[in-house]
Amino acid sequence: MSALRWAEGRSKAAVVTASLALLATGCAQDAQQSAAGGESCQGRTVTVGVTKSASDAPFYVAEDKGYFADEGLKVRFLPFDSAAKMIAPLGAGQLDVGAGAPSAGFYNAAAREVGLRIVADKGSMPADHGYMPLMVRKDLYDSGKVKKIGDLKGLKVAEPAQATATSSTAAVMLKSGGLGYDDVKHEYLGFTEHVTAFGNKAVDAGLTTEPSASIAEKRGVAVRLATPPDFYRNQQLAVVLYGGAFAAKDSKAGACFMTAYLKGARDYVSSMSGGKVTGKGSDEIVRIVSEATGLDPKLYRSLVANYVHPDGEVNLDSLRQDHAFFEQQGWMEGEVSVRDLVDPSFAEAAVKKLGLYDKPAS
């Protein structure tokens, strides 16, 4: 995740600076609350890093519907302009909970003994949930120059950064078209920049997450060429992370937090129909997420939504596949076991309390 290269601007720097300032002033207070609380979660404040994106939905649902409060927790959301910037404060014990993509940078940080644990699913791509489609410029598609993946040879393909899970997605999809990962020219742009890049023809194609994919489509600058689940089923694209100190020294609060998070995730998943937030109970979910992120409610309903496993299960096979790809590309700087970084105990404890998820009848 530290490999992510997002465009830097003064406003973004201000967001991170403000977030870290809040962390610094709150750490001592949180430590006192933890010590005073003993085995109880009552009164415990948990700091949670968010990017104010649609994939943060379970966090926002759990907060809005009082699930964190039911567990005795007070949650403080801290905004970051990218999940990559959560790694340092998570490792230093300044941030309790965060999220991110399983990238080479993440594994390299873990190899340097930065305390991090993958504790639950936050974004995966089973069938109907290809929320990071392969987009191609509309003029290239309409002209017939690019009609299939194999036609991308030698063209510029956008990714958010080098050595992320998206790179592994690209490799799998390119292979299906008879191409190697290096048979295209990789351009590294933050997802929000993809729409502009398509419009000014700076890139030819890209793996682009929602809502940028739908926005590019609505503006008529790109079309969907392929969806990842057709080539790489159920890729683990984003995960919930606990800082080492929070996971090891405050496991009671970690369990309480996970219980609330999974309740939010279950409400979110239950509201889906055909990969979109349009099913039973979706009005409430759309309201909560739109208010928290600033997304237009109508646009949010039209998006292909990221899936979140309602029991928190993480796809270990996917993590191992991506890890192996990073090694093959020479992006790894140390040795670390995927299994050693995944701690399912919090999700398992929450499921034991809540029971296995059973989607309500529509």
Side-chain angles (χ1 to χ4, degrees), residues 121-124 234 261-262 265 269 307-314:
D121 177 22
K122 183 174 179 283
S124 48
N234 201 29
Y261 170 77
L262 288 188
V269 172
Y307 185 72
V308 179
H309 197 290
D311 292 331
E313 291 183 10
V314 172

Side-chain angles (χ1 to χ4, degrees), residues 167-241:
S167 303
S168 182
T169 316
V172 172
M173 297 182 77
L174 289 169
K175 184 178 180 180
S176 74
L179 302 178
Y181 181 74
D182 295 323
D183 284 335
V184 300
K185 299 173 184 177
H186 299 279
E187 297 290 329
Y188 302 114
L189 301 169
F191 289 123
T192 57
E193 298 176 86
H194 287 203
V195 179
T196 299
F198 282 127
N200 62 26
K201 300 184 180 181
V203 298
D204 303 309
L207 281 162
T208 307
T209 58
E210 296 283 19
S212 295
S214 287
I215 292 172
E217 199 171 37
K218 292 178 186 297
R219 290 185 184 176
V221 296
V223 298
R224 296 171 195 254
L225 185 66
T227 182
D230 289 343
F231 306 88
Y232 186 164
R233 184 69 176 269
N234 201 29
Q235 184 182 15
Q236 189 66 64
L237 205 59
V239 292
V240 177
L241 302 171

Side-chain angles (χ1 to χ4, degrees), residues 246-328:
F246 184 66
K249 299 177 182 178
D250 203 3
S251 59
K252 177 64 176 178
C256 291
F257 183 91
M258 185 59 66
T259 298
Y261 170 77
L262 288 188
K263 289 173 73 175
R266 291 177 177 198
D267 287 352
Y268 168 67
V269 172
S270 295
S271 73
M272 292 181 183
S273 176
K276 297 184 179 183
V277 185
T278 57
K280 185 177 181 180
S282 62
D283 287 349
E284 183 178 34
I285 302 302
V286 170
R287 175 190 63 77
I288 292 170
V289 178
S290 296
E291 290 177 356
T293 63
L295 279 173
D296 177 77
K298 185 176 180 181
L299 173 63
Y300 182 52
R301 283 187 179 278
S302 73
L303 306 180
V304 175
N306 65 293
Y307 185 72
V308 179
H309 197 290
D311 292 331
E313 291 183 10
V314 172
N315 187 340
L316 277 172
D317 288 339
S318 172
L319 294 181
R320 292 189 181 108
Q321 178 173 330
D322 294 351
H323 184 274
F325 172 71
F326 301 150
E327 287 186 322
Q328 291 166 8

Side-chain angles (χ1 to χ4, degrees), residues 144-155 177 179 184 225:
K145 184 175 180 180
V146 179
K147 286 289 189 179
K148 59 185 185 301
I149 292 175
D151 295 334
L152 294 174
K153 186 173 183 179
L155 299 185
L179 302 178
V184 300
L225 185 66

Side-chain angles (χ1 to χ4, degrees), residues 16-46:
V16 178
T17 300
S19 295
L20 293 177
L22 283 170
L23 285 170
T25 57
C27 282
Q29 178 184 354
D30 291 344
Q32 292 172 356
Q33 289 174 333
S34 177
E39 291 301 311
S40 173
C41 294
Q42 193 64 42
R44 174 68 162 91
T45 297
V46 179

